[in-house]
Amino acid sequence: MSAPLALPILDAALEARLRRRMDEVEVALTDHVASEAAFVTEAARHLLEAGGKRFRPLLVLLAAEAGDRPDDPGVLTSACVVELTHLASLYHDDVMDEADLRRGAASANARWDNHVAILTGDFLFSKSSELTAELGADAVRIQAQTFSSLVEGQILETVGPRDGADELEHHLRTVAGKTGSLIATSARYGARFSGAPRDVEDALHEYGAKVGVAFQLSDDILDIASDTEESGKTPGTDLREGVPTLPVLIARRSTDPADARLVELLGSDLSADEPHAEALALLRAHPALAEARAYVVDLAGEAKALLKVLPDGPVRAALEAFADVVATRTA
């Protein structure tokens, strides 16, 4: 039985097509990560089989519905390219973050070691590159630019903002690179390989960039506002680890004397339970949380406005729903 799609599709025929194509993507992904060495195959399939929402390949398939060749082989190939690229980045992220869990399972670095995780990520990047080459020189250029943005975003996150730089602007640039760029490319690939007009491709690329940033910023909000039972996340994990998020950065800008205690806490070590709990409670009650939510909803609205290049119908409605789900998700 097909896994549930990562967003609601109100049109039954469109839902059936997307489910069928996502099943094809899953089969293809399993084949693409196979190696002659059994251990490499096991390590490469580790996170693939752990699941995930598959936002990126689903967006490729959905954007492809804007063209007249949604079943073109290039659509399926590019859907695999973006998911393999994403999976590869997760292996490297877990090493950098020293993470023990990913998608509810032991991370590769925890199950094996950092060397295995890094090399497995490299293997997956190489497989995505092989597939991209099948799509032609222009796709290779797009993928290279996307990869540059991904790496630049990771570097920006790692080194942090320069002294005196705007921390919020730095965070948004980081998110645009680390998350927005690949989701933007997902939408571009779907439109391009299905034969959509260039103005549609450009609009969907920009739509994907905005939805991608909104997706990550929603994670920022979930870190503060989530309910563990609903989201499956432990509230305040980023806050405890000192990872900057949108609500935190907004709150730290406050010059209101009433916020002095919160600003003080946000600039201190929150690894201990007592200050962490105090900071989390104050932040949940602070207008910064509502301001962050409004920013993400507005960003999703900007993304939906770009869809005016598409005719009214189930495809446009699904893309609008995609933006709404990303902006208001609780998990």
Side-chain angles (χ1 to χ4, degrees), residues 82-102:
V82 296
E83 186 63 13
L84 288 175
T85 302
H86 174 58
L87 280 171
S89 72
L90 297 183
Y91 280 82
H92 288 178
D93 280 353
D94 286 345
V95 172
M96 296 185 69
D97 297 342
E98 299 180 346
D100 293 325
L101 292 174
R102 169 67 70 174

Side-chain angles (χ1 to χ4, degrees), residues 5-11 14-15 17-18 55 58-59 61-63 65 204 207 211 304 307 310-326:
L5 296 178
L7 70 155
I9 305 292
L10 299 180
D11 182 82
L14 176 59
E15 181 183 18
R17 288 198 303 275
L18 291 174
F55 270 122
L58 178 58
L59 182 54
L61 301 182
L62 185 51
E65 294 287 333
L204 288 179
Y207 161 91
V211 165
K304 290 193 292 183
L307 300 175
L310 299 176
D312 286 333
V315 174
R316 179 170 169 175
L319 286 164
E320 289 173 341
F322 194 104
D324 286 335
V325 166
V326 163

